[in-house]
Amino acid sequence: MKIRKVGVLGCGLMGAGIAEVAARAGFETVVREVSEEVVEKGLEKLRGSLDKAVERGKLDAAERDKAWARLHGVVDLGALAECDLVVEAIVENLDEKRRTFAALDAVVKEGALFASNTSSLTITQIAMATRRPDRFVGMHFFNPVPVMKLVEVVRTLLTSQEAYDAAIEVVRAFGKEPVTARDNSGFLVNRLLVPYLLDAVRAYEEGVGSIEDIDKAMQLGCGYPMGPFALLDFVGLDTTYYIANIMFDEYREKRFAPPPLLKQMVLAGRLGRKSGRGFYEHPRK
Ligand code: NAD
């Protein structure tokens, strides 16, 4: 399984980051979105991220230009036909992911490896929508993708050794560090992180402390780089809400149940940085 060309589904927060990392690592990269308008917006964000890397001295301008030339934005799923690996980073919804992968399976060459960046769904239930569950893994990146070093590689009961080895190899080629997780909802990181984030919202609901003080407490008391509310705004309250519901459905444990305030904020459109307001205000630049 030699990977040369990478496809990415979704050019949102995570998809744009994954496409950037693949292109910077030297792979021809095709990123697919739902409409021309969203492709343009996603690529604009991606270009901004590449430019910022140059400004910060993390990337030289010539490398940026080469990475940019390797990137192609598309709407047509058929444009991914010749990809050796397709990483999916669309909305955290099982039906949507299954539908998309079934359509992808029909157009992408047989030997290609499929990967989902799902945070909380099990890989098995997505992989079974295709005829290649043996060539299907979880590849769970972290936000912001160009900066965060970790990728959880998830192998299911059906993942072949060859597919798993290829996934580990490509993660390393992306300049990331892999860890291997079993196909349990939330894998390693979200299994521990999600109850902590939800508990912070519950503590606030119960009046234990202010948003600012809870964040400050975890930063200065535990050495965390950011507090739970800053992190919730960063991840997206909608995404966290979907993840919590899926994990609660899976485990039926109260620690995964989304608190009412989280639901209210999502319904009110306070999604965090992406909408300009979450637990904090994020004025658009
Ligand atoms: P997002 O809302 O920023 O982006 C999702 C994008 O997918 C949107 O731009 C949407 O237009 C697009 N999309 C929807 N259906 C599509 C389709 N059929 N084909 C192509 N594009 C499609 O969401 P996100 O935060 O990037 O999350 C994406 C996935 O990554 C989710 O499964 C999420 O759980 C996972 N994830 C998120 C984080 C995080 O911190 N936000 C971290 C790790 C994993």
Side-chain angles (χ1 to χ4, degrees):
M1 255 183 193
K2 192 73 202 146
I3 292 165
R4 293 185 186 86
K5 188 169 179 182
V6 175
V8 180
L9 289 175
C11 198
L13 206 57
M14 298 302 291
I18 296 166
E20 176 181 337
V21 161
R24 280 172 67 168
F27 295 90
E28 276 302 308
T29 306
V30 188
V31 56
R32 190 253 179 170
E33 257 296 348
V34 289
S35 70
E36 290 292 348
E37 201 189 333
V38 190
V39 174
E40 285 306 313
K41 242 174 76 185
L43 286 179
E44 213 174 280
K45 216 169 37 188
L46 204 163
R47 174 72 198 203
S49 171
L50 283 172
D51 290 344
K52 211 182 276 169
V54 174
E55 274 164 38
R56 289 186 181 154
K58 306 263 182 223
L59 185 71
D60 63 50
E63 286 302 317
R64 183 231 6 236
D65 295 344
K66 278 193 220 158
W68 185 242
R70 290 185 202 110
L71 278 159
H72 314 280
V74 300
V75 174
D76 175 21
L77 211 54
L80 280 79
E82 292 307 315
C83 289
D84 305 296
L85 163 70
V86 180
V87 185
E88 166 274 317
I90 69 168
V91 64
E92 187 74 341
N93 175 287
L94 179 61
D95 289 343
E96 196 61 35
K97 288 194 195 284
R98 282 181 59 95
R99 212 181 3 256
T100 304
F101 268 116
L104 196 69
D105 194 33
V107 296
V108 177
K109 66 181 181 188
E110 217 176 283
L113 177 66
F114 283 178
S116 173
N117 181 50
T118 180
S119 304
S120 53
L121 294 162
T122 62
I123 301 302
T124 308
Q125 58 188 335
I126 306 171
M128 293 310 283
T130 71
R131 292 160 305 172
R132 62 181 94 192
D134 56 325
R135 275 156 288 140
F136 206 119
V137 293
M139 238 182 235
H140 187 225
F141 291 81
F142 292 81
N143 180 28
V145 182
V147 177
M148 300 297 279
K149 277 280 171 216
L150 184 70
V151 178
E152 293 177 304
V153 174
V154 184
R155 66 193 301 184
T156 73
L157 295 176
L158 301 174
T159 307
S160 71
Q161 186 65 38
E162 195 193 3
Y164 168 75
D165 291 344
I168 295 283
E169 195 181 316
V170 77
V171 163
R172 292 214 170 101
F174 286 166
K176 304 293 181 196
E177 267 308 312
V179 289
T180 303
R182 251 179 34 190
D183 190 23
N184 284 11
S185 176
F187 316 130
L188 306 178
V189 171
N190 281 331
R191 173 83 175 240
L192 301 179
L193 178 65
V194 171
Y196 157 72
L197 294 176
L198 302 178
D199 237 3
V201 179
R202 278 189 272 270
Y204 172 65
E205 278 181 325
E206 288 165 18
V208 175
S210 67
I211 287 170
E212 291 77 7
D213 278 355
I214 293 172
D215 270 2
K216 192 168 165 186
M218 295 313 291
Q219 272 188 285
L220 303 186
C222 295
Y224 286 13
M226 62 173 85
F229 293 102
L231 184 54
L232 279 160
D233 275 10
F234 201 66
V235 169
L237 270 53
D238 51 346
T239 300
T240 307
Y241 180 64
Y242 303 146
I243 292 172
N245 272 314
I246 291 166
M247 294 187 78
F248 181 69
D249 265 357
E250 183 77 16
Y251 295 112
R252 301 280 162 184
E253 288 176 29
K254 189 166 176 277
R255 64 198 176 113
F256 296 111
L261 177 61
L262 183 63
K263 180 176 180 180
Q264 284 160 26
M265 293 195 55
V266 173
L267 289 173
R270 291 189 183 169
L271 309 182
R273 281 172 182 259
K274 65 168 101 168
S275 73
R277 183 164 179 184
F279 287 104
Y280 295 97
E281 303 245 11
H282 305 279
R284 292 190 196 276
K285 285 169 202 142

